[in-house]
Amino acid sequence: MTSGDELALTLAALSNPHRLRILAALSVGGRNYVSRLAREIGISRPLLHLHLSRLEEAGLVRSQLELSTDGKALKYFEVCPFHLELTPEIVASLAPTLSEKTEK
């Protein structure tokens, strides 16, 4: 983390059980496309897209659009390597870089 805002974004992305399940599924099963991932996790595709957007915004997953053999566009997602260490000292060092924006 290089700023308090990045830390806040990452923690917000990790604060939702659906997003933790998505990260776990991608970590264990590897890259996957939205329809299959939605079936595996048991949530709707629109809800999955919402959560994947938050994870991607935080830099925890990345996506790639690919064409299947039958010409369908499939959006694949995979986990980005990350390591999160959180200590009071890290929070104190990043706190001065927090902007004044509030969460939506």
Side-chain angles (χ1 to χ4, degrees):
M1 301 290 134
T2 58
S3 75
D5 290 340
E6 288 177 3
L7 175 62
L9 186 64
T10 300
L11 293 176
L14 293 172
S15 70
N16 183 284
H18 286 306
R19 292 193 283 269
L20 292 176
R21 286 184 191 98
I22 292 165
L23 282 175
L26 290 172
S27 179
V28 171
R31 67 191 294 270
N32 206 341
Y33 62 94
V34 172
S35 294
R36 183 185 297 158
L37 187 57
R39 284 191 303 273
E40 287 178 8
I41 294 173
I43 62 175
S44 69
R45 284 183 298 166
L47 182 58
L48 178 61
H49 269 290
L50 173 79
H51 290 300
L52 284 167
S53 294
R54 291 290 301 269
L55 290 167
E56 194 165 28
E57 182 183 355
L60 299 171
V61 300
R62 64 179 154 247
S63 64
Q64 183 174 358
L65 197 59
E66 296 181 15
L67 291 178
S68 67
T69 54
D70 62 356
K72 289 182 183 176
L74 299 173
K75 193 166 189 178
Y76 281 87
F77 284 85
E78 63 185 343
V79 174
C80 295
F82 68 91
H83 174 82
L84 182 62
E85 183 177 357
L86 190 60
T87 65
E89 294 79 18
I90 291 171
V91 172
S93 72
L94 295 177
T97 65
L98 286 165
S99 65
E100 293 300 318
K101 61 183 172 186
T102 59
E103 189 172 335
K104 300 174 192 174

